[in-house]
Amino acid sequence: MGDSSVAGALVPSVPKPEPAPSGDASTAAAAAALALAEEAGARAGSASPQGAAAEGEGPADRDLLCPICMAVIKDAFLTACGHSFCYMCIVTHLNHKSDCPCCGHYLTKAQLYPNFLLDKVLKKISARQIAKTASPIDQVRYALQQGNEMGVKELDSLMTLISEKKRQMEQQESETNMQILLVFLHCLRKQKLEELNEIQTDLQYIKEDISAVERHRIELYRTKERYSMKLRMLLDDPASQKMWPSPIDKASSLYLPNSRTPLSASSPGSLQNKKLDLKAQVSNQEFQRRDALTSSDPPNSPIQSGNVIARKRRVQAQFNELQEYYLQRRRTGAQPRRQEERDIVAMNREGYHAGLQDFQSVLTTFTRYSRLRVIAELRHGDLFHSANIVSSIEFDRDDELFATAGVSKRIKVFEFSSVVNEPSDVHCPVVEMATRSKLSCLSWNKYSKNVIASSDYEGIVTVWDVQTRQSVMEYEEHEKRAWSVDFSRTEPSMLVSGSDDCKVKVWCTKQEASVINIDMKANICSVKYNPGSSFYVAVGSADHYIHYFDLRNPSAPVHIFGGHKKAVSYVKFLSNNELASASTDSTLRLWDVKDNCPVRTFRGHKNEKNFVGLSVNNEYIACGSETNEVFVYHKAISKPAASHRFVSSDVDDADDDPSSYFISAVCWKSDSPTMLTANSQGTIKVLVLAP
């Protein structure tokens, strides 16, 4: 690499022959050419068929090649110095130079002589090679071109043979084509029959499910009708009115405009009027129920009609995705459920298939929401501090407090209820802790409300006591920036961290040094404990893979999940068996860590270089985007269910390009449609899923 005088490719050259002996040059050259040609002819004539075939396949004898074009000599001409060349080659050479290309002797066009003997020998050799290596058609064509005499009968016989051979080949080609077509049609028929069987099976599933839903729907309306009849009987029975005054009073208060007026203050006929009005309402409801039972669509009250229409539109918008999920669940059955859940399903949905019940749950949750609504907003940064990017935002154990951290080198803890219920432009944190370096990640301890862990850009993992605002432990074993830290849910004293030094370290708050060290080949972007075990850890790496480790045997991962095309920036568990991952290839992926297989890929947001946040709950996955938007996906649908764009409210930032900002952190509130989001401007919003 360091030597600059590297030789280039060399141009091939022809070896320089020795000069001819004294005497008549022309005679000597002719004699030499004749001897060479005779020797070549003798070699060609005495060669065996195998040798001739090999010679025909290999290159020609180098002595019969033109020294200029390196091909077999064509129209051989002899020079005064005894060398033979193609006529065009030597003439072209002498147009520029006056020497022999082989020996360099002075040469002019007047000193060129035709070499008839060499031409004759070369033609014979060529004819022999054609006769031995050419196809029969080429041999016949060559014989006709050479003018060989052939009788009319011989030609007729030859043409008859050729015609018969042509018909035979056409017949064979037709049979082959028919066979190929028949194979294709059989394969197509088999495929379509399989599709037809699958469609018929799916139709049978749909028919069964329609019957089950209709039966359950009728049961619901009959239950309501029985309740209405019972209520009507109570209204008609004077004794029941005395024994059960409360239901009548409550019912009358629902339908009469002035329900707070005491009965003693009303006129003697007011109670009777109220009873008549209530009977009219009940009769009207019964008529609607009977009409509903005879129609295909359920009755839509004016209050619910708008919501029902909106939910139907959501179904139509994602019909293909929902259809695919329904058929998948119906064919394979529902996901494993706890025994109590199975008992409830069997009691409430008698006659329902487990896959249909699972799909109904997905359909209900998916169509329930269509947008994200802002319920609170606050600024994370200081008024005169430009570095406001929020790298991490996390709820505490009870979802009462949430902490934020980022490049401002501060951990700020806010009271969630105050942020939501007390409108204010600036919310002051209830706790604020200063750090030495920029922070990358936070993790609350799920058992101790006052304990939180942080990782920073210097590779330090710190455990804090929020109540005393002091660090409890500091771990400084990482050699480079630590991107992620996570407390175990089942073992509160254990936490794990990952760093740019390609190491995953497991810590115990009761020890000063790491208890487990895992060396990997690529930068670590994210680490996460399985919520159901303190032994299993998922690791998102810059090598595009997710490594799933059992800490009891950390020498090799239990499984490596591959599918992302760029670095895996986040990993989060939806459940003990479901793992979500985010990557800078602008996709999210859902994995089954029990069966070690991919489940679904989510697309819609943009993420090519930044950490944009990832958060999950039981049904939904939220992530940020480099378009300054928050996206929410239902875990069963690959397209976004809702999104929200951050719009700057500051006058100074209103003219900025929105693409210059990105979402930097997201966090769901436990078992709630509410979430916290933050962007690179330091703006934090509380969003809630809304219809």
Side-chain angles (χ1 to χ4, degrees):
M1 296 294 291
D3 188 6
S4 60
S5 60
V6 179
L10 299 177
V11 178
S13 59
V14 178
K16 184 176 180 180
E18 297 181 358
S22 59
D24 188 357
S26 177
T27 305
L34 179 60
L36 181 62
E38 289 177 350
E39 182 181 355
R43 287 199 302 268
S46 62
S48 63
Q50 292 82 0
E55 183 178 350
E57 293 176 1
D61 195 328
R62 294 182 61 87
D63 295 331
L64 302 179
L65 302 181
C66 172
I68 296 178
C69 67
M70 298 305 296
V72 177
I73 296 176
K74 184 178 180 181
D75 296 333
F77 266 69
L78 187 67
T79 64
C81 55
H83 299 107
S84 295
F85 302 91
C86 300
Y87 175 74
M88 291 304 301
C89 293
I90 189 62
V91 169
T92 303
H93 173 77
L94 293 178
N95 287 336
H96 303 282
K97 294 183 179 181
S98 298
D99 59 356
C100 176
C102 292
C103 61
H105 289 177
Y106 178 77
L107 184 65
T108 63
K109 293 181 181 180
Q111 297 174 314
L112 297 178
Y113 310 100
N115 194 339
F116 299 110
L117 181 60
L118 181 58
D119 268 339
K120 186 176 181 180
V121 171
L122 289 175
K123 289 180 180 179
K124 288 183 178 180
I125 294 174
S126 177
R128 289 173 183 172
Q129 289 180 347
I130 292 175
K132 294 178 180 180
T133 61
S135 64
I137 300 299
D138 292 334
Q139 292 179 7
V140 172
R141 184 183 296 109
Y142 182 78
L144 294 176
Q145 290 175 350
Q146 295 299 322
N148 293 340
E149 295 183 359
M150 186 176 297
V152 175
K153 292 184 178 181
E154 294 177 348
L155 284 176
D156 288 340
S157 177
L158 181 61
M159 291 180 66
T160 302
L161 290 174
I162 292 175
S163 299
E164 184 65 26
K165 183 65 175 177
K166 179 182 177 183
R167 284 194 297 270
Q168 183 181 356
M169 293 180 65
E170 289 177 348
Q171 178 80 14
Q172 184 177 0
E173 185 176 1
S174 298
E175 292 178 358
T176 302
N177 293 337
M178 290 299 103
Q179 184 178 2
I180 293 174
L181 179 59
L182 191 61
V183 169
F184 168 77
L185 292 175
H186 279 302
C187 292
L188 182 60
R189 179 177 177 272
K190 181 180 178 181
Q191 178 182 341
K192 293 303 179 182
L193 284 175
E194 291 175 354
E195 293 177 359
L196 178 60
N197 292 334
E198 187 177 67
I199 291 174
Q200 289 176 343
T201 304
D202 291 343
L203 287 174
Q204 184 63 30
Y205 291 154
I206 295 170
K207 182 179 179 180
E208 293 174 0
D209 292 344
I210 289 175
S211 299
V213 173
E214 286 290 347
R215 285 196 306 270
H216 183 68
R217 175 170 165 264
I218 292 173
E219 289 175 2
L220 288 176
Y221 286 123
R222 286 177 177 174
T223 301
K224 292 180 181 179
E225 187 175 0
R226 286 195 296 268
Y227 173 77
S228 299
M229 293 295 295
K230 184 177 180 180
L231 180 60
R232 191 172 178 182
M233 291 173 62
L234 290 173
L235 291 173
D236 293 337
D237 189 0
S240 300
Q241 295 175 16
K242 295 179 181 180
M243 295 177 59
W244 306 95
S246 298
I248 298 176
D249 294 341
K250 291 180 180 179
S252 62
S253 65
L254 292 175
Y255 292 99
L256 296 178
N258 190 11
S259 60
R260 296 182 180 180
T261 304
L263 292 176
S264 58
S266 60
S267 60
S270 61
L271 179 59
Q272 186 68 22
N273 292 334
K274 292 177 183 178
K275 289 166 59 179
L276 292 175
D277 292 339
L278 184 56
K279 289 180 181 179
Q281 293 282 352
V282 172
S283 299
N284 186 29
Q285 291 177 5
E286 290 177 357
F287 174 76
Q288 290 182 358
R289 291 189 186 93
R290 293 192 187 97
D291 182 66
L293 289 174
T294 59
S295 64
S296 60
D297 294 330
N300 296 329
S301 65
I303 298 177
Q304 296 180 346
S305 61
N307 184 30
V308 171
I309 292 173
R311 296 181 71 172
K312 286 182 178 179
R313 287 176 180 172
R314 290 169 211 152
V315 170
Q316 293 298 327
Q318 300 291 346
F319 186 81
N320 291 334
E321 296 276 347
L322 292 169
Q323 172 187 251
E324 180 181 353
Y325 185 78
Y326 165 77
L327 294 176
Q328 176 189 359
R329 303 315 307 158
R330 194 60 176 84
R331 292 166 184 166
T332 60
Q335 298 174 353
R337 297 176 179 270
R338 296 193 302 269
Q339 183 62 39
E340 308 85 65
E341 293 180 347
R342 287 197 295 267
D343 294 340
I344 295 174
V345 169
M347 180 177 60
N348 294 339
R349 295 288 187 269
E350 185 176 358
Y352 268 28
H353 186 271
L356 177 62
Q357 173 63 21
D358 186 73
F359 174 75
Q360 184 183 20
S361 175
V362 169
L363 186 66
T364 301
T365 55
F366 176 74
T367 59
R368 183 179 299 160
Y369 308 115
S370 63
R371 62 188 179 95
L372 288 167
R373 182 169 57 89
V374 180
I375 59 175
E377 182 176 345
L378 69 151
R379 292 285 296 183
H380 177 262
D382 301 328
L383 294 176
F384 303 102
H385 200 283
S386 59
N388 294 330
I389 298 178
V390 179
S391 302
S392 181
I393 185 167
E394 292 288 329
F395 274 106
D396 73 339
R397 179 193 65 189
D398 302 323
D399 291 333
E400 296 175 352
L401 305 175
F402 67 90
T404 63
V407 299
S408 62
K409 301 181 182 180
R410 288 178 175 84
I411 299 176
K412 297 182 179 181
V413 180
F414 297 87
E415 188 176 7
F416 180 73
S417 60
S418 299
V419 172
V420 174
N421 299 324
E422 299 175 6
S424 175
D425 294 336
V426 178
H427 289 272
C428 296
V430 294
V431 175
E432 186 169 349
M433 297 174 288
T435 61
R436 292 178 294 177
S437 179
K438 299 176 181 178
L439 298 171
S440 57
C441 185
L442 295 175
S443 178
W444 284 91
N445 190 298
K446 299 305 179 182
Y447 282 81
S448 180
K449 186 178 179 64
N450 297 322
V451 177
I452 189 172
S454 67
S455 59
D456 64 26
Y457 281 32
E458 293 182 0
I460 301 174
V461 177
T462 308
V463 179
W464 302 84
D465 188 324
V466 176
Q467 189 172 7
T468 62
R469 307 184 184 186
Q470 299 295 323
S471 63
V472 178
M473 297 290 291
E474 286 190 2
Y475 305 104
E476 301 183 3
E477 293 184 19
H478 283 301
E479 300 173 359
K480 294 183 180 180
R481 180 182 310 181
W483 282 117
S484 181
V485 63
D486 184 52
F487 265 113
S488 171
R489 288 179 175 266
T490 58
E491 184 59 48
S493 63
M494 303 300 295
L495 64 158
V496 63
S497 62
S499 167
D500 270 343
D501 61 4
C502 307
K503 294 180 181 179
V504 176
K505 292 183 178 290
V506 179
W507 317 88
C508 179
T509 55
K510 302 174 184 178
Q511 300 182 25
E512 296 182 355
S514 60
V515 295
I516 298 177
N517 182 49
I518 303 175
D519 288 325
M520 300 183 66
K521 298 181 180 180
N523 301 36
I524 309 302
C525 301
S526 180
V527 292
K528 198 69 178 177
Y529 269 106
N530 187 308
S533 172
S534 61
F535 299 123
Y536 292 100
V537 172
V539 179
S541 175
D543 64 358
H544 311 176
Y545 294 99
I546 301 152
H547 304 258
Y548 193 49
F549 284 95
D550 185 343
L551 298 180
R552 293 168 294 188
N553 182 22
S555 59
V558 176
H559 189 75
I560 298 177
F561 296 93
H564 285 296
K565 298 180 180 179
K566 291 186 179 180
V568 179
S569 52
Y570 294 97
V571 287
K572 302 281 185 178
F573 281 93
L574 283 80
S575 65
N576 296 347
N577 298 328
E578 294 174 304
L579 175 67
S581 62
S583 170
T584 50
D585 61 3
S586 297
T587 66
L588 307 180
R589 287 180 179 264
L590 185 64
W591 313 88
D592 188 329
V593 297
K594 182 180 180 181
D595 297 333
N596 297 330
C597 63
V599 178
R600 190 163 287 103
T601 301
F602 306 90
R603 292 182 175 87
H605 63 286
K606 179 182 179 182
N607 180 205
E608 297 177 351
K609 58 181 179 179
N610 296 301
F611 286 89
V612 296
L614 177 70
S615 185
V616 298
N617 62 16
N618 293 334
E619 299 290 337
Y620 288 97
I621 305 173
C623 71
S625 174
E626 289 168 359
T627 57
N628 210 21
E629 294 176 279
V630 181
F631 285 84
V632 175
Y633 298 88
H634 192 282
K635 69 177 183 180
I637 307 299
S638 61
K639 295 181 181 179
S643 64
H644 173 77
R645 180 183 294 274
F646 273 50
V647 179
S648 176
S649 58
D650 294 344
V651 178
D652 297 336
D653 298 335
D655 297 333
D656 292 347
D657 183 10
S659 62
S660 61
Y661 303 111
F662 59 91
I663 302 300
S664 55
V666 293
C667 181
W668 284 106
K669 190 178 180 183
S670 300
D671 300 325
S672 168
T674 304
M675 64 187 302
L676 294 169
T677 58
N679 74 343
S680 56
Q681 285 179 288
T683 301
I684 299 174
K685 290 186 178 183
V686 183
L687 304 176
V688 63
L689 285 169

